[in-house]
Amino acid sequence: MMYSEKVMEHFTNPRNVGEIADADAIGQVGNPKCGDIMKMYFKIENDVIVDVKFKTFGCGSAIASSSMATELIKGKTIDEALALSNRAVADALDGLPPVKMHCSVLAEEAIKSAMFDFAQRHQREFEGLKGYQPPTGDEDHHDHGEEE
């Protein structure tokens, strides 16, 4: 399986790894059955993401997707972060192998999960969360037919 240089770069030198002790929002998504778990922590001031950190347990593509997603949304507004698609994350990484696209989906979902947490804590509504249901942990994004 071929990975782009950007995927390898973000896997070997991930940005924004860690956690924020007094985070304003925390989102966790993943499927414990297949092992990819992504957790994001946000510091938000005046609806702007002033800091974001992540912890990802998973394959290189999951780590690279988390790293790139945090880079793309740092300094952005909540609405801009909610507009970030998994496709934009994958494109910023110069593409992911098809069997790894679910990793960029996880990154998009981790952001939505955290923004949902923020909205709940502050009794707010955001257009990008309309109809959003937080994941239950039973979702399965993998095609288990292929080895990673």
Side-chain angles (χ1 to χ4, degrees), residues 22-98:
D22 56 344
D24 296 308
I26 299 173
Q28 180 170 320
V29 294
N31 183 336
K33 285 198 289 276
C34 60
D36 287 333
I37 299 171
M38 201 175 279
K39 193 167 190 178
M40 288 191 183
Y41 304 80
F42 289 81
K43 203 76 193 135
I44 298 169
E45 291 170 13
N46 303 318
D47 286 358
V48 173
I49 296 160
V50 292
D51 197 13
V52 54
K53 300 254 185 263
F54 77 89
K55 282 187 155 179
T56 293
F57 180 85
C59 65
S61 296
I63 291 165
S65 294
S66 307
S67 174
M68 180 56 84
T70 59
E71 287 286 274
L72 291 169
I73 61 176
K74 198 183 244 187
K76 300 278 199 285
T77 65
I78 289 171
D79 289 323
E80 287 171 325
L82 285 170
L84 182 71
S85 68
N86 74 293
R87 171 65 58 198
V89 173
D91 288 350
L93 288 167
D94 294 334
L96 285 169

Side-chain angles (χ1 to χ4, degrees), residues 94-145:
D94 294 334
L96 285 169
V99 68
K100 293 296 181 184
M101 278 306 284
H102 68 270
C103 296
S104 61
V105 173
L106 270 181
E108 178 186 333
E109 289 178 354
I111 293 165
K112 282 202 166 77
S113 170
M115 295 304 107
F116 183 79
D117 177 48
F118 182 79
Q120 297 291 73
R121 292 189 198 196
H122 298 277
Q123 287 82 50
R124 303 266 311 273
E125 285 188 19
F126 295 97
E127 190 62 38
L129 288 173
K130 288 261 190 305
Y132 174 77
Q133 290 298 314
T136 59
D138 297 331
E139 295 81 6
D140 192 349
H141 296 284
H142 279 271
D143 169 5
H144 285 285

